[in-house]
Amino acid sequence: MTNPHLQLDALVCDLDGVLYRGEAPVPGAASAISELRERGVKIVFATNNATKTLEQYVRRLGTFGVDAEPEDLVTSAVVAAEEIQGRGWSDRSVFLIGGNGIRDALGSIGMSFVDGIQARSAEVVVVSGTPELTYDAIRTAAFAVRAGADFIATNDDSTFPAPDGLWPGAGAILAAVETASGRRAEVMGKPHCPMMEAIRRRLDGRERIAVVGDQPATDLAGARAMGWTTVLVLSGVTDEAAARAEHPAPDVTVPSLAQLRDLIADSG
Ligand SMILES: [Mg+2]
């Protein structure tokens, strides 16, 4: 374990595998967040999971003893909506493959959802994770993308952890639409630029920044590209052997957020 004494102004914190694992809290994680805040470290929570709304996440974090306001949270659904709004596409029609979180985010910027045959000429196609995928949805999305729709994905995680193992993630669904349409989507989530820039906007100019996560390919790769400190926790999908094999090595590896607290000096 590397253990430099970290000086931090802000910590970008992944959710699943860092604060909780499924329905089980990571021991000591909630109190570590409280203590870091008391020492002046700003916390931004960032997840690629686009299935839940910000309000659902605020409640979910609350059940694990973590206080959060909607503005402390970034999901790939929120990033997709901010990006679409920033491009002036809010008044366009959208065909969506995805769940509540992304539906809520696109609805909040005023996009109009289209379905069925009409959706084959949607102006924007958004693909996200959902357990309710149908062949019809893949076909409709492929038609629209081939017809020239702008093509956005919330995230491209191939899998996500479930109690019985790894389940197909948004990336698996996205691969089906990309294969069928012959085009690649612009991906919003970690480690891609739109999410990293959305996080930066929420850091209010703070300079000494670390990202803590359990997935090197998403959490840490995005951080590295921004020049931020990378912290790998072993409380999620990466075990100690996999962590040792990681290249480039994370700046810091700790068993969990509870131990990270001890490495962070008062920000002063
Ligand atoms: Mg995670």
Side-chain angles (χ1 to χ4, degrees):
M1 299 286 152
T2 50
N3 54 355
H5 216 62
L6 282 172
Q7 294 274 345
L8 281 191
D9 301 318
L11 181 68
V12 180
C13 188
D14 177 44
L15 299 181
D16 207 347
V18 178
L19 296 181
Y20 49 81
R21 246 187 114 145
E23 297 309 313
V26 169
S31 59
I33 293 290
S34 307
E35 205 174 303
L36 291 174
R37 280 174 166 156
E38 278 165 26
R39 296 193 217 165
V41 178
K42 180 178 176 67
I43 311 284
V44 173
F45 301 102
T47 179
N48 271 358
N49 189 322
T51 60
K52 293 185 179 65
T53 65
L54 291 182
E55 289 67 29
Q56 286 173 318
Y57 269 120
V58 167
R59 277 199 299 277
R60 181 166 171 75
L61 290 180
T63 64
F64 294 112
V66 177
D67 287 330
E69 300 294 328
E71 53 271 24
D72 299 330
L73 274 153
V74 192
T75 71
S76 65
V78 167
V79 176
E82 286 180 2
E83 191 72 20
I84 285 170
Q85 192 166 38
R87 295 179 188 189
W89 298 353
S90 302
D91 58 354
R92 295 192 183 177
S93 61
V94 60
F95 177 67
L96 171 66
I97 296 178
N100 278 342
I102 182 66
R103 185 167 292 276
D104 185 75
L106 298 179
S108 75
I109 60 166
M111 293 197 92
S112 51
F113 296 97
V114 283
D115 262 306
I117 289 289
Q118 196 195 357
R120 293 185 179 189
S121 52
E123 294 168 290
V124 183
V125 167
V126 176
V127 174
S128 187
T130 174
E132 281 148 18
L133 180 67
T134 63
Y135 179 83
D136 185 54
I138 298 170
R139 182 175 55 194
T140 301
F143 263 107
V145 170
R146 282 187 182 277
D150 287 297
F151 186 16
I152 301 277
T154 54
N155 60 306
D156 58 0
D157 298 54
S158 53
T159 59
F160 65 91
D164 55 351
L166 296 177
W167 287 21
I173 297 172
L174 178 62
V177 178
E178 288 184 334
T179 301
S181 67
R183 276 179 53 199
R184 302 294 300 271
E186 285 182 80
V187 186
M188 301 290 111
K190 298 179 268 188
H192 302 277
C193 275
M195 170 77 105
M196 303 317 296
E197 289 299 333
I199 292 169
R200 192 214 295 274
R201 290 196 291 275
R202 286 159 173 83
L203 294 173
D204 303 329
R206 286 172 175 78
E207 285 175 359
R208 296 173 301 182
I209 298 153
V211 173
V212 57
D214 66 323
Q215 303 232 37
T218 52
D219 301 319
L220 304 193
R224 202 173 292 118
M226 301 297 276
W228 299 342
T229 300
T230 57
V231 180
L232 179 64
V233 288
L234 305 180
S235 50
V237 297
T238 304
D239 64 17
E240 208 169 331
R244 269 198 301 271
E246 214 28 63
H247 184 79
D251 296 317
V252 179
T253 301
V254 283
S256 81
L257 206 53
Q259 290 79 35
L260 179 65
R261 166 182 53 193
D262 304 329
L263 302 183
I264 296 178
D266 289 345
S267 77

